[in-house]
Amino acid sequence: MTLLPGDGIGPEVAAATVRAVDATGARIHWHEVELSGAVIERTRQSVPDEVLRSLDDTKVGLKGPVTTPVAGGFQSVNVALRKKLDLFANVRPVRSFPGIHTRFEDVKIDLIIFRENTEDLYSGLEHEVVTDVVTSLKVITRTASIRIARYAFHYARTHGRRKVTAIHKANIMKLADGLFLRCAREVAQDYPEIEYKELIVDNASMQLVMRPETFDILLLPNLYGDIVSDLAAGLVGGLGLVPGANMGQSHAVFEAVHGSAPDIAGKGVANPTALMQSAVLMLRHLDERASADKLQAAIERVYADGKTVTPDIGGRASTTQFTDAVIAAM
Ligand code: NAI
């Protein structure tokens, strides 16, 4: 197992998660490799060779966030890693949590985001045509669109989900989002038992805030998937909670939705739940089901009890105190 603690709050939540996973009794051998802004600056590689070597060997990674400089500097390490390993599906389950106070306490939210992870406006193809005029290329291909749609529908069929909603802006980007939508429709025909719907992304955002309980599986191109993920996290208590998986043909890298949170890094108050729940997804992927269930149940017990939660959830516990509580709850 490759462990990439990342930077910012990454090392704090990664250390907490490793402790919690080890406490379940899962037989995980961690191979820790540095992946951070500092190592990218030092090696001048978009993803250091050592990271790729380790992931080629283990096929499975648990990753903390990595800071990306804004408006300049090196390319996003996260985007580079997803492209290099062809981690085409970004899967993010967003669920209501027992004991967490949100504006949506009366409804049960249980949706899963399937975000295309390799193209769209994340192609990084930008060009200054003349001074003060810039273009940024949005790349949508049939191959990638069919692949993510199939992944989402197959998941729906094999996990007893009822509905897939494709989210787009094909009224404006008629060619690009039009292609994404045509691919989704085509795949939907092979899954007649799954209800298929389409929503324009602005309307989808409003519906998510008004009626989040009506959503099941969301199928989105890269950029909308990124934005809607944070919106959805906000519905259930914030970024401290929501896990994710980057899935490819041969590799899988599990990471939280959140970033490196520079505003709280080093203070010992980051919420490790999102990475711990990413580790639960990883344990399921590795067929370590008993450990996965044990960790998930322990996390939920700590929230139901409500006494040892971190400041983002309205509590006063530190990362370490929360982790101790999770381990004690096992
Ligand atoms: P962010 O997700 O790091 O933080 C947004 C807000 O949520 C902050 O107020 C932060 O304190 C809070 N937050 C996030 N995770 C939390 C946790 N576990 N516990 C408690 N509070 C938490 O987003 P931001 O500030 O826009 O980005 C910071 C950096 O992270 C940027 O360089 C960005 O590029 C990078 N990033 C990296 C990602 C990755 O490695 N997969 C994903 C998203 C952003």
Side-chain angles (χ1 to χ4, degrees), residues 9 63-68 78 82 239-240 255 257-264 270-271 312:
I9 58 167
K63 175 183 167 299
V66 181
T67 308
T68 308
N78 307 304
R82 291 164 189 173
L239 284 167
E255 67 177 332
V257 174
H258 67 71
S260 56
D263 52 340
I264 56 166
N271 187 349
D312 57 310

Side-chain angles (χ1 to χ4, degrees), residues 207-242:
Q207 301 277 351
L208 269 165
V209 173
M210 298 284 290
R211 285 177 280 280
E213 72 282 7
T214 61
F215 286 85
D216 188 353
I217 282 180
L218 280 65
L219 169 63
L220 312 99
N222 208 340
L223 178 63
Y224 312 145
D226 192 357
I227 298 168
V228 167
S229 293
D230 277 37
L231 188 156
L235 302 173
V236 297
L239 284 167
L241 300 171
V242 179

Side-chain angles (χ1 to χ4, degrees), residues 3 61 65 168 267:
L3 176 68
H168 65 92
K267 296 186 177 158

